[in-house]
Structure formats: C-alpha cells, structure tokens
Amino acid sequence: MLPRSRSPRALVLLTVLALASVGLSSPVDAQRPAGGQHVVAKAVAKKDPRKTRGLFVDPRMPAANHGAPYKKALGTKAQALWIIPEAYATMRVRSVVRAYTSRALKARKTPMLTVYGIPGRDCGGQSSSGALKNATQYRAWIRQIAAGLKQQRALVILEPDALPLFSGSGCASPPAGWVAMLRFASKTLSKSGAWVYLDAGHSNWTPYDNRPTLLKQAGVAYDRGISTNVSNFRPTGDEQRYAATMLAGLRKLGVRGKHYVVDTSRNGAAPSSDGYDVLNPLWARVGKAPRLVFKGAFDGTLWVKHPGESDGQVNGGSSSGTWCDMLADRLLTGSSSESSCPE
C-alpha cells in the first residue's frame, strides 16, 4: 500500500507565559523492607498525581479567547501547549515551559505539551519553517525543555509525524541523524520526569511493518509510550487497533509495558475515502473530549491539535496555525456563514 498523506502541524504562537517556579517533589520511601522493593515501587507508582488529576484547561488557549460560543464548546477542553523553536528559542524555552507547567500544577491539574522542533520538520509541508538546523542545536533546545519540565509531572507528545515521515517515501531528504535526535529527546525528556509519548503517525499511514523497529531505535523504551492520530482524523477504534499492533511489535522486540494516547480533536466524523485530504477537510468534525482513562495500555484521548486553528491556505483556511472562526464553525456544526478565513 502507498503511504498516506501526513497531516500538517499547527505553529501555535501563544503569548509568553509569566514565569513561575513551583517544584513538585517525588515521594521517597527511605525504609524499604527487604525483598519488597517491587511492592514499594508499585505503591509509589499509584501515587503519581497524573493518575488522578485531570488535564489542565489553559485559559490562554486560542478557543478560550475567540468569543463565547468557542470558549464554551472548545475552550473548556484541555489542549496541548505546542513548544516550537520559532516561538520559544533555546534561551527562553526553559522559562516558558516552567511557567506553563507551574500554572497547571497550581491549579492541581496535569500539564500537556507538544514538542515540535526537529530539524527538517514536516519536510517542506505547511509547517516546514523550522528554526533549528542541526542536531547540535536540537539537543541544546531539548535540554532546556527538559530543565523546565523537571519534577513537573507533565505529559509530552514528542515530534508529531517525524518518525513515519522521515522513514517513508513522503520525505525526499530526511535530516541526517534523525533517529539519534529522537532517541536523545526521548531519553532526555523522560529523565525529567515527564510522561513522553513518541509519535507513531496514524493507522492510515502505511506501510508500517518496520515502525516498531524504528520506534525502538528512536528510544521509545525510555518513554511512557506512543501517540497516534496527532492533527489527523482517523476513527478512535482504528487508532486503538493500530496502537495495539505497534505495542505488540515492540513486545516482540523486547520493549514491554508501553502505553498510548489518541488525538481525538478532529476525528468526530468518518474520513473521506481520499486519504490525502488532510488540510482543513470539509467533512472533519470535533471528536471525543480529552480524558485520561488508564485502561490497560490505553491512557486516554487528548486534544493535541487545537480545533479551530488552520492547517494552511487550503479549503478556505488561513496560514498554518492561525485561528479562524469559520474553521471552528465547520468543525462544530458542519457549516459556517463564511466560505473562507478572513485575511
């Protein structure tokens, strides 16, 4: 089968968050009974606040600031803060990450971020204006993100599309050393205490027979698991079956105990039979609300993409990552008084 088209990534340029500095210490059991380490480890794991806290609903997200109908329908749902080098350069990304996660923890909620800055990102697509040019720059940027995440108990979606895009026919010139860059990011961000989900594309991005091997090479063993369907439109059931296939493949390679999350921000309608229609498609609708469920390997549904933000200047859309009332109306109701986003 031919590989299906990737989805574009929104360049989410949010207002710089106010710097805060709230640490969260991990519980430590100094008196561990002999032979009972596994019991203590299990007890500590159950205390992880991510298992009981809801996701952070950030009042600074676009939908919360574009009119009451959008605030109610979309802005009251948890959405990821996209960390991109164009908006948050190496010298300031640490403070931005810490400010955001600190606000989430102050609200006693779990912060959720998307790290999207690998060199060669999107391979010439709508979101290809990456600011980082090589592995050295990328590693420095990742180190600063990890410093901001330390002890913050965050969820992190790592590099949407990178692995399936760079390993397939959709990218003529993938960046040199991209597997090593993903492995470094997986290891470094996971060591900060974040639950990292390395992106694995989606169920319609075929072929994917070698994807478990690539996920292992890219450091998924360090991570909480994988993410699927980021900014895409595949049905949740299809994504759960796809994720199960990926996790089964990883187990055959000796990588066990991994989990997954599914982006449901725009998968509320059956996709068009044309798998290449992924830029502001007319048929797309908002999907199931984000919720952590922790059922077996399935950690839950997330809104990684921001509903209402454009994929690019296609199907009436505006520039990639910009908010548009018309697109939000289309996702919510299937219709709009406008035929395109205003310039």
Side-chain angles (χ1 to χ4, degrees):
M1 297 179 65
L2 293 174
R4 310 304 284 176
S5 176
R6 63 190 181 277
S7 60
R9 301 296 144 236
L11 303 186
V12 185
L13 304 178
L14 300 181
T15 303
V16 176
L17 306 178
L19 177 61
S21 139
V22 177
L24 187 63
S25 298
S26 300
V28 176
D29 188 339
Q31 302 296 324
R32 294 187 177 182
Q37 288 89 343
H38 65 288
V39 176
V40 174
K42 186 175 181 180
V44 171
K46 286 184 176 179
K47 294 180 182 178
D48 192 305
R50 285 167 286 205
K51 292 288 187 71
T52 54
R53 290 177 178 172
L55 294 164
F56 180 47
V57 178
D58 188 356
R60 303 184 187 186
M61 287 292 166
N65 294 280
H66 281 87
Y70 308 117
K71 182 177 181 178
K72 181 178 180 180
L74 303 174
T76 56
K77 308 295 190 297
Q79 299 170 48
L81 173 65
W82 285 64
I83 301 299
I84 62 171
E86 293 87 344
Y88 310 126
T90 302
M91 295 300 293
R92 60 189 290 243
V93 69
R94 175 179 179 174
S95 63
V96 169
V97 168
R98 183 52 65 101
Y100 167 75
T101 57
S102 296
R103 289 196 298 111
L105 296 181
K106 186 176 180 180
R108 301 189 64 79
K109 298 295 182 180
T110 295
M112 175 172 56
L113 307 93
T114 302
V115 172
Y116 185 55
I118 194 167
R121 184 189 63 199
D122 206 26
C123 272
Q126 294 286 336
S127 301
S128 59
S129 58
L132 304 175
K133 305 303 180 185
N134 54 55
T136 299
Q137 293 178 359
Y138 183 66
R139 288 187 172 94
W141 187 65
I142 289 293
R143 288 189 190 98
Q144 291 303 307
I145 295 172
L149 289 171
K150 189 174 182 180
Q151 297 183 332
Q152 298 299 91
R153 309 281 188 155
L155 306 185
V156 173
I157 308 302
L158 179 57
E159 297 298 352
D161 283 0
L163 186 144
L165 179 61
F166 293 157
S167 63
S169 60
C171 188
S173 301
W178 65 266
V179 173
M181 282 189 275
L182 288 178
R183 187 176 184 88
F184 177 85
S186 287
K187 183 176 182 180
T188 303
L189 297 175
S190 293
K191 284 180 65 177
S192 76
W195 280 358
V196 178
Y197 299 90
L198 177 60
D199 192 64
H202 57 78
S203 60
N204 205 41
W205 200 330
T206 56
Y208 49 68
D209 291 347
N210 69 332
R211 204 163 290 166
T213 298
L214 290 168
L215 287 167
K216 181 178 179 179
Q217 292 172 352
V220 75
Y222 298 112
D223 299 328
R224 172 77 177 177
I226 63 172
S227 59
T228 78
N229 207 42
V230 172
S231 295
N232 215 276
F233 312 92
R234 311 315 303 178
T236 303
D238 289 359
E239 292 307 292
Q240 290 181 299
R241 287 184 286 273
Y242 167 66
T245 299
M246 292 297 102
L247 298 189
L250 287 171
R251 287 194 294 273
K252 291 179 181 178
L253 298 171
V255 180
R256 297 179 174 83
K258 297 299 142 181
H259 298 251
Y260 70 94
V261 290
V262 177
D263 184 357
T264 57
S265 57
R266 301 191 296 177
N267 73 343
S272 164
S273 59
D274 180 4
Y276 294 91
D277 182 15
V278 294
L279 301 178
N280 307 317
L282 303 180
W283 42 263
R285 301 292 180 268
V286 171
K288 187 176 181 179
R291 184 186 175 206
L292 298 176
V293 296
F294 302 112
K295 292 184 178 179
F298 180 43
D299 280 356
T301 56
L302 304 178
W303 281 12
V304 183
K305 170 73 175 181
H306 300 167
E309 288 190 346
S310 178
D311 294 327
Q313 295 176 324
V314 180
N315 284 335
S318 50
S319 299
S320 179
T322 57
W323 172 269
C324 176
D325 289 359
M326 182 274 290
L327 293 176
D329 290 338
R330 185 191 290 170
L331 288 171
L332 291 169
T333 67
S335 63
S336 174
S337 59
E338 302 288 339
S339 60
S340 63
C341 300
E343 295 297 330

Coordinates of all heavy atoms in Angstrom, one line a residue, residues 9 11 83-89 116-134 137-138 141 159 166:
R9 N 1.2 20.4 10.8 CA 1.3 20.7 12.2 C 1.0 22.2 12.4 O 1.6 23.0 11.6 CB 2.7 20.4 12.8 CG 3.1 19.0 12.7 CD 2.1 18.2 13.5 NE 1.9 16.9 12.9 CZ 0.7 16.5 12.6 NH1 -0.3 17.1 12.8 NH2 0.6 15.3 11.9
L11 N 1.6 25.8 13.9 CA 2.6 26.5 14.7 C 1.9 27.4 15.7 O 1.5 28.5 15.3 CB 3.5 27.3 13.7 CG 4.1 26.5 12.6 CD1 5.0 27.4 11.8 CD2 4.9 25.4 13.2
I83 N 5.3 23.5 21.9 CA 6.6 24.1 22.1 C 7.3 24.0 20.8 O 7.7 22.9 20.4 CB 7.3 23.4 23.2 CG1 6.5 23.5 24.5 CG2 8.7 24.0 23.4 CD1 6.3 24.9 25.0
I84 N 7.5 25.2 20.1 CA 8.2 25.2 18.9 C 9.3 26.3 18.9 O 9.2 27.3 19.6 CB 7.2 25.6 17.7 CG1 6.6 26.9 17.9 CG2 6.1 24.5 17.6 CD1 5.8 27.4 16.7
P85 N 10.4 26.0 18.2 CA 11.6 26.9 18.4 C 11.3 28.3 17.8 O 12.0 29.3 18.2 CB 12.7 26.2 17.6 CG 12.0 25.3 16.7 CD 10.7 24.9 17.4
E86 N 10.4 28.5 16.8 CA 10.1 29.8 16.3 C 9.6 30.7 17.4 O 9.9 31.9 17.4 CB 9.1 29.7 15.1 CG 9.7 29.0 13.9 CD 9.5 27.5 13.9 OE1 9.2 27.0 15.0 OE2 9.6 26.9 12.9
A87 N 8.8 30.2 18.2 CA 8.2 31.0 19.3 C 9.0 31.0 20.6 O 9.0 32.0 21.3 CB 6.8 30.5 19.6
Y88 N 9.6 29.8 20.9 CA 10.3 29.6 22.1 C 11.7 29.1 21.8 O 12.0 27.9 21.8 CB 9.6 28.6 23.0 CG 8.1 29.0 23.1 CD1 7.1 28.0 22.8 CD2 7.7 30.2 23.6 CE1 5.8 28.3 23.0 CE2 6.3 30.5 23.7 CZ 5.4 29.6 23.4 OH 4.0 29.9 23.5
A89 N 12.6 30.1 21.6 CA 14.0 29.7 21.3 C 14.7 29.1 22.5 O 14.3 29.2 23.6 CB 14.7 31.0 20.8
Y116 N 7.8 20.1 19.2 CA 7.8 20.0 17.7 C 8.8 21.0 17.2 O 8.5 22.1 16.8 CB 6.4 20.4 17.3 CG 6.1 20.3 15.8 CD1 6.3 19.1 15.1 CD2 5.6 21.4 15.1 CE1 6.0 19.0 13.8 CE2 5.3 21.3 13.7 CZ 5.5 20.1 13.1 OH 5.3 20.0 11.7
G117 N 10.0 20.5 17.1 CA 11.1 21.4 16.6 C 12.2 20.7 15.9 O 13.3 21.3 15.6
I118 N 12.1 19.4 15.6 CA 13.2 18.6 15.0 C 13.6 19.3 13.6 O 12.7 19.7 12.9 CB 12.9 17.1 14.9 CG1 14.1 16.3 14.6 CG2 11.8 16.9 13.8 CD1 13.9 14.8 14.7
P119 N 14.9 19.4 13.3 CA 15.3 19.9 12.0 C 14.7 19.1 10.9 O 14.5 17.9 11.0 CB 16.8 19.7 12.0 CG 17.2 19.8 13.5 CD 16.1 19.1 14.2
G120 N 14.3 19.8 9.8 CA 13.6 19.1 8.7 C 12.1 18.9 8.9 O 11.5 18.2 8.1
R121 N 11.6 19.4 10.0 CA 10.2 19.2 10.4 C 9.2 19.4 9.2 O 9.4 20.3 8.5 CB 9.8 20.2 11.5 CG 8.5 20.0 12.1 CD 8.2 21.2 13.0 NE 8.2 22.5 12.3 CZ 8.3 23.7 12.8 NH1 8.5 23.8 14.1 NH2 8.3 24.8 12.1
D122 N 8.3 18.4 9.0 CA 7.3 18.5 8.0 C 7.8 18.4 6.6 O 7.0 18.4 5.6 CB 6.4 19.8 8.2 CG 5.0 19.6 7.6 OD1 4.5 18.5 7.6 OD2 4.4 20.6 7.3
C123 N 9.1 18.3 6.4 CA 9.6 18.0 5.0 C 9.0 18.9 3.9 O 8.6 18.4 2.9 CB 9.5 16.5 4.7 SG 10.8 15.5 5.2
G124 N 9.0 20.2 4.1 CA 8.6 21.1 3.1 C 7.1 21.3 3.1 O 6.6 21.9 2.1
G125 N 6.4 20.8 4.1 CA 4.9 21.0 4.1 C 4.5 22.3 4.7 O 5.3 23.3 4.7
Q126 N 3.3 22.4 5.2 CA 2.8 23.7 5.6 C 3.5 24.3 6.9 O 3.4 25.5 7.1 CB 1.3 23.6 5.9 CG 0.4 23.3 4.7 CD 0.2 24.5 3.8 OE1 0.3 25.6 4.2 NE2 -0.1 24.2 2.6
S127 N 4.1 23.4 7.6 CA 4.8 23.9 8.9 C 6.3 23.6 8.8 O 6.9 23.2 9.8 CB 4.2 23.1 10.1 OG 2.8 23.4 10.2
S128 N 6.9 23.9 7.7 CA 8.3 23.5 7.5 C 9.3 24.5 7.8 O 10.5 24.3 7.6 CB 8.5 23.1 6.0 OG 8.2 24.2 5.2
S129 N 8.9 25.7 8.4 CA 9.9 26.7 8.6 C 10.6 26.6 10.0 O 10.6 27.4 10.8 CB 9.2 28.1 8.6 OG 8.1 28.1 9.6
G130 N 11.2 25.4 10.2 CA 11.8 25.1 11.4 C 13.0 26.0 11.7 O 13.8 26.4 10.8
A131 N 13.2 26.4 12.9 CA 14.3 27.3 13.3 C 15.6 26.6 13.6 O 16.7 27.2 13.6 CB 13.9 28.2 14.5
L132 N 15.5 25.3 13.9 CA 16.7 24.5 14.3 C 17.2 23.8 13.1 O 16.5 23.1 12.4 CB 16.3 23.5 15.4 CG 15.7 24.1 16.7 CD1 15.3 23.0 17.6 CD2 16.7 25.1 17.3
K133 N 18.5 23.9 12.9 CA 19.1 23.4 11.6 C 19.9 22.2 11.7 O 20.2 21.5 10.7 CB 20.0 24.6 11.0 CG 19.3 25.9 10.8 CD 18.0 25.7 9.9 CE 17.3 27.1 9.7 NZ 16.1 27.0 9.0
N134 N 20.3 21.8 12.9 CA 21.2 20.6 13.0 C 21.0 19.9 14.4 O 20.3 20.5 15.3 CB 22.6 21.0 12.8 CG 23.1 22.1 13.7 OD1 23.0 22.0 14.9 ND2 23.7 23.1 13.1
Q137 N 22.0 22.0 17.6 CA 21.1 23.0 18.0 C 19.8 22.3 18.7 O 19.3 22.8 19.7 CB 20.6 23.8 16.8 CG 21.7 24.7 16.3 CD 21.3 25.5 15.1 OE1 20.1 25.4 14.6 NE2 22.2 26.3 14.5
Y138 N 19.4 21.2 18.1 CA 18.3 20.5 18.6 C 18.5 20.0 20.0 O 17.6 20.1 20.9 CB 17.9 19.4 17.6 CG 16.6 18.6 18.0 CD1 15.4 19.2 18.0 CD2 16.7 17.3 18.4 CE1 14.2 18.5 18.3 CE2 15.5 16.6 18.8 CZ 14.3 17.2 18.7 OH 13.2 16.5 19.1
W141 N 18.3 22.7 22.6 CA 16.9 23.1 22.8 C 16.2 22.1 23.7 O 15.5 22.4 24.6 CB 16.3 23.2 21.4 CG 14.9 23.8 21.4 CD1 14.5 25.1 21.8 CD2 13.7 23.1 21.0 NE1 13.1 25.2 21.5 CE2 12.6 24.1 21.1 CE3 13.4 21.8 20.5 CZ2 11.3 23.7 20.7 CZ3 12.1 21.5 20.1 CH2 11.1 22.4 20.3
E159 N 7.4 15.1 18.9 CA 7.7 15.3 17.5 C 6.6 14.6 16.6 O 6.9 13.6 15.9 CB 9.1 14.8 17.2 CG 10.2 15.6 17.8 CD 10.3 17.0 17.4 OE1 9.5 17.4 16.4 OE2 11.0 17.8 18.0
F166 N 9.9 10.7 8.2 CA 11.3 10.6 7.8 C 11.7 9.2 7.3 O 12.7 9.0 6.6 CB 12.3 11.0 9.0 CG 12.2 12.4 9.4 CD1 12.6 12.8 10.6 CD2 11.8 13.4 8.5 CE1 12.5 14.2 11.0 CE2 11.7 14.7 8.8 CZ 12.1 15.1 10.1

